[in-house]
Amino acid sequence: QVQLVEAGGGSVQAGGSLRLSCAFSGRTFSSYDMGWFRQAPGKEREFVAAISRGAGITRYADSVKGRFTISRDNAKNTVYLQMTTLEPEDTAAYYCAANSVRIGPPRYDYWGQGTQVTVSS
């Protein structure tokens, strides 16, 4: 079974930066596309960013484009989310997820426990 463990959340002031990490174990990391999602209180979970198996393709939600960068290190079995110019609206629990679908719409079958990001104004 795939296991994902996020780290790096915390409290920062608006305009600050944080780097989240997600450690993958249980299967071959390079076989999975990876994604980051977030959920704020009273809100639905929303897509943040995704990265392909070989890191050649990335996608971002419009709300974070230009501020967040997703990356991965397949040698370390880790995916990262570098967040800059943080805004109070970015406050949420952030989750990483793994997608094994090779072709077609992604299916995120494995999820981490989440890490809290709080941005104060």
Side-chain angles (χ1 to χ4, degrees):
Q1 182 76 266
V2 169
Q3 291 185 315
L4 302 170
V5 180
E6 301 98 332
S11 297
V12 298
Q13 292 184 308
S17 300
L18 283 173
R19 187 182 70 162
L20 307 183
S21 64
C22 174
F24 176 107
S25 63
R27 297 290 178 88
T28 302
F29 179 59
S30 59
S31 295
Y32 291 82
D33 294 347
M34 299 295 297
W36 285 97
F37 297 77
R38 66 187 183 186
Q39 187 167 23
K43 300 282 190 177
E44 295 293 310
R45 184 182 297 172
E46 65 174 338
F47 169 80
V48 175
I51 188 166
S52 62
R53 290 160 171 75
I57 302 171
T58 57
R59 300 185 185 279
Y60 298 91
D62 289 342
S63 59
V64 308
K65 194 173 299 181
R67 299 188 298 119
F68 291 10
T69 302
I70 188 170
S71 62
R72 67 190 294 163
D73 187 338
N74 284 352
K76 294 182 170 63
N77 290 355
T78 302
V79 62
Y80 303 92
L81 185 68
Q82 178 67 51
M83 305 183 294
T84 64
T85 320
L86 283 161
E87 304 168 352
E89 293 75 20
D90 296 317
T91 295
Y94 283 72
Y95 301 86
C96 65
N99 162 44
S100 63
V101 175
R102 296 178 64 86
I103 300 174
R107 178 179 172 181
Y108 292 97
D109 292 326
Y110 306 103
W111 296 81
Q113 84 290 344
T115 186
Q116 179 67 37
V117 171
T118 302
V119 185
S120 60
S121 59

